[in-house]
Amino acid sequence: MSRLVVLDTETTGLSAEGGDRIIELGCVELVNRKLTGNNLHLYFNPGRDSHPDALRVHGLTTEFLSDKPKFESMVQDILAYLQGAELIIHNAPFDVGFLNKEFSLLGLQPLTHYVEGITDSLAMAKEMFPGKRNSLDALCSRLDVDNSGRTLHGALLDAELLADVYINMTRGQNALVMPEDDESPQEQETSDAMPVLDLRAMVLPVLKANEQELAAHDAVLADLDKSSGGKTIWRIGKDAAQAVT
């Protein structure tokens, strides 16, 4: 069984080492690349105000977070949920840095000690789409993932969007589908299977070039050979063959 957890956080600011804290954690579970609905979504009281720039991004006010649990009171539930999973995180160094800081404050091991591995979907996107914008919003637009409900950043919403984006990037699937309760995995695989076509009976026409097209082709080859000083591979091969004969 392949278990993936798509994870996102919201924080009071940009610097874990500078004292900023996690205020929201959103996780979406996929088993065998299918949404299970077994998600984890938590808010935390960080014990400090958010930086104004961060507040404009996530909208989670100090008043809203004041009655939420401290991270330390939920950490064992978080570790139990993440245990042994492969994590998918967009710009992983940021979220991992904050989680590691929270863990270190509690005397716990770094995140990699508890999970199977961590994949940075931002690094994947940069490799797949070099020179393009690869923010989550940009990827949603590029891969036809509906993010119309994303007016503010939210950890669970962003994790749900990233799950869809990740599946698109890795398999070209347009949408994630949760299996119906009464549909077995075998039935689902059958319904998703592509039709098999027998190509052996197909007869493909062979179109040969006419004299005018052959002459134009020879003229292009002659120009290329001239520009290379007579060092084109086809000319060298032809001369060698004539010399042997």
Side-chain angles (χ1 to χ4, degrees), residues 11-89:
T11 64
T12 61
L14 299 177
S15 176
E17 293 301 322
D20 284 312
R21 305 293 296 273
I22 294 176
I23 56 177
E24 184 184 8
L25 175 69
C27 300
V28 173
E29 182 186 65
L30 300 94
V31 174
N32 296 326
R33 300 171 64 84
K34 299 291 183 182
L35 285 169
T36 67
N38 178 29
N39 302 334
L40 179 69
H41 184 211
L42 298 169
Y43 292 106
F44 307 104
N45 180 351
R48 60 170 295 170
D49 294 338
S50 289
H51 188 279
D53 291 340
L55 184 59
R56 280 191 287 270
V57 171
H58 55 65
L60 300 176
T61 64
T62 302
E63 181 181 6
F64 172 79
L65 298 170
S66 62
D67 63 346
K68 303 302 184 286
K70 299 284 188 179
F71 188 93
E72 62 188 62
S73 68
M74 302 302 299
V75 69
Q76 293 304 322
D77 291 340
I78 295 169
L79 292 178
Y81 180 87
L82 298 179
Q83 188 72 42
E86 170 79 23
L87 302 188
I88 311 299
I89 308 175

Side-chain angles (χ1 to χ4, degrees), residues 8 47 79 142 204 239:
D8 187 60
L79 292 178
R142 188 174 304 137
L204 300 177
D239 292 344

